[in-house]
Amino acid sequence: ERFSARRAALDSQVATLQRRADDGQRRLDEVEREDAALRGDEVLLGEIEAQVAPVRAGLEARERGLLAEEAELGARGADCQEREASAFPEYRHCQETLARAEERMQELQAREEESERQRSKLLQRQRDFGGADIRLSGFESALRQNDGSGDSAGRAGGDSEAELQGRFDRLRSADARWAERVCA
């Protein structure tokens, strides 16, 4: 019995020690797994660190390029603003000149139309006065013939020389006024 009690106590201790050994083994396995994971992480970290340097250098180079491009764009923007500032008054002047030219063109077209109407009227008058011009030439011829012959009986229509001369002067005056209007 004493043996049995001792054996039971020893079995209990063995069971406790076995549990502790199992717990210790589990912890040791966990530590080994964590150690293996840590070593894997260290390898991975080393690989990442090896890749970080080229990436960092690339990013720095890209940043420098972007800064240079930004400076160039800023200079271009300032240049464009300067050009715009200098070109805007000229553009405005061109717009005003164009507006005046268009206005002048409309005015000239109106004048041209008016001139065409006047030309048509003048052509009609010229046709009308053409007959008067022929009569005037006839009167001139008659006067010359009368001046040359001195015969009042040969005058056209029995008009006196003074009457013919008066009519001739009136026609010549009307002809001169008509010519002034045509020229104006």
Side-chain angles (χ1 to χ4, degrees):
E1 267 192 43
R2 198 171 127 188
F3 229 4
S4 284
R6 185 144 165 100
R7 185 175 171 117
L10 284 175
D11 281 341
S12 167
Q13 272 183 345
V14 168
T16 303
L17 289 173
Q18 187 63 40
R19 275 190 308 246
R20 282 184 188 170
D22 288 343
D23 283 343
Q25 187 61 42
R26 264 192 308 258
R27 283 187 204 158
L28 182 62
D29 290 343
E30 280 180 34
V31 167
E32 286 176 353
R33 277 193 305 265
E34 286 179 12
D35 186 47
L38 183 61
R39 273 187 254 125
D41 288 348
E42 285 175 352
V43 169
L44 185 60
L45 186 60
E47 291 173 2
I48 290 173
E49 285 176 353
Q51 293 175 0
V52 165
V55 169
R56 179 174 286 140
L59 288 174
E60 287 172 354
R62 188 167 183 191
E63 183 179 6
R64 284 190 303 272
L66 288 174
L67 289 173
E69 187 176 327
E70 184 178 331
E72 182 181 340
L73 288 175
R76 282 185 186 175
D79 186 44
C80 286
Q81 287 177 346
E82 183 179 319
R83 282 190 210 169
E84 181 182 341
S86 68
F88 186 73
E90 184 178 339
Y91 171 75
R92 192 75 165 136
H93 176 70
C94 288
Q95 276 185 323
E96 291 169 0
T97 303
L98 177 63
R100 284 192 303 267
E102 287 175 345
E103 185 178 309
R104 178 75 174 141
M105 182 181 71
Q106 290 174 351
E107 181 181 318
L108 289 174
Q109 284 175 342
R111 283 185 182 181
E112 184 178 353
E113 290 170 4
E114 181 62 28
S115 294
E116 185 60 32
R117 282 193 293 274
Q118 286 179 357
R119 188 178 76 77
S120 295
K121 286 180 184 179
L122 287 175
L123 288 174
Q124 182 61 41
R125 277 187 182 171
Q126 191 176 20
R127 284 190 288 273
D128 294 344
F129 283 129
D133 194 28
I134 292 171
R135 284 186 310 214
L136 182 61
S137 294
F139 285 139
E140 267 182 342
S141 295
L143 276 175
R144 283 193 193 120
Q145 285 176 359
N146 284 335
D147 284 343
S149 68
D151 183 13
S152 60
R155 293 185 185 112
D159 292 332
S160 73
E161 189 176 325
E163 287 176 5
L164 287 174
Q165 186 64 42
R167 287 174 73 186
F168 178 70
D169 290 340
R170 281 192 306 274
L171 284 173
R172 189 174 290 246
S173 159
D175 186 42
R177 283 192 306 262
W178 179 79
E180 286 176 10
R181 285 188 203 153
V182 169
C183 291

